[in-house]
Structures are given as structure tokens and as C-alpha cells.
Amino acid sequence: MAEKTIMLVCAAGMSTSLLVSKMQKAAKEQGETVNIFATAAADANNKLESEKPDILMLGPQVSYLLDQFKSRLSIPVEMINMQDYGMMNGKKILAHALEEIK
């Protein structure tokens, strides 16, 4: 299966960086080949162009961007569940992302 790219967006890109590590660990345990990265909302458009992700996932603090991205992107745009985000549940968030990509 081809490698999938998951892009996480939060206000500054800091809190999602920890989540990226948790998701990468879960992916490795499951034998999934994924490229996961985080970026700040301010740089999201540049990263969309340069990285060409298969899915864009928004942290709860940037939920106001959901409609804006959904209206102009042809890839899935999803909110990260607030509870999973707070608990840094990389396994569950990864599963959600992969389900939406398929």
C-alpha cells in the first residue's frame, strides 16, 4: 500500500507535534506506512501545497477553520476529537485518519 500523508494543524504547531510522535508510534506498532507532520495554522496553506497530504486534521483550537478548508480542498478535512486530543490518543486519532483516507 502506498504511503499516506497526514497533516495536523493547530494554532502554533506545538501541541500537535507531541501528537505526531504518538501517532507515529501507533503506526509503527500497526505496521502502517504513514508520513505524519504538524504545522501551525498560519503556515497550513504552504504545507498543503508542498506536502500534498491525503488528509488534513484540525486541532480543537482551530475548529473555526474547518469550513474554510472543507470548501476548497478535495481531500478529507476532519476535526480531531477534543477528548482524544487532550489525552494525546495517537492510536485512536490515527485510526480515524486512516478510515477517512480509504
Side-chain angles (χ1 to χ4, degrees), residues 18-55:
L18 176 59
L19 186 54
V20 166
S21 298
K22 302 266 186 176
M23 291 174 70
Q24 288 171 331
K25 181 178 182 230
K28 186 175 183 182
E29 289 170 357
Q30 296 171 27
E32 294 284 351
T33 306
V34 291
N35 174 30
I36 307 166
F37 69 95
T39 191
D43 198 37
N45 289 326
N46 292 333
K47 291 291 185 184
L48 282 165
E49 243 179 75
S50 66
E51 301 295 325
K52 309 253 186 283
D54 296 294
I55 187 170

Side-chain angles (χ1 to χ4, degrees), residues 60-71:
Q61 68 276 45
V62 292
S63 60
Y64 64 92
L65 295 172
L66 182 66
D67 291 339
Q68 175 191 329
F69 282 119
K70 275 192 167 195
S71 68

Side-chain angles (χ1 to χ4, degrees), residues 8-18 20 37-42 61 85:
L8 307 181
V9 174
C10 73
M14 299 303 287
S15 55
T16 47
S17 293
L18 176 59
V20 166
F37 69 95
T39 191
Q61 68 276 45
Y85 190 86

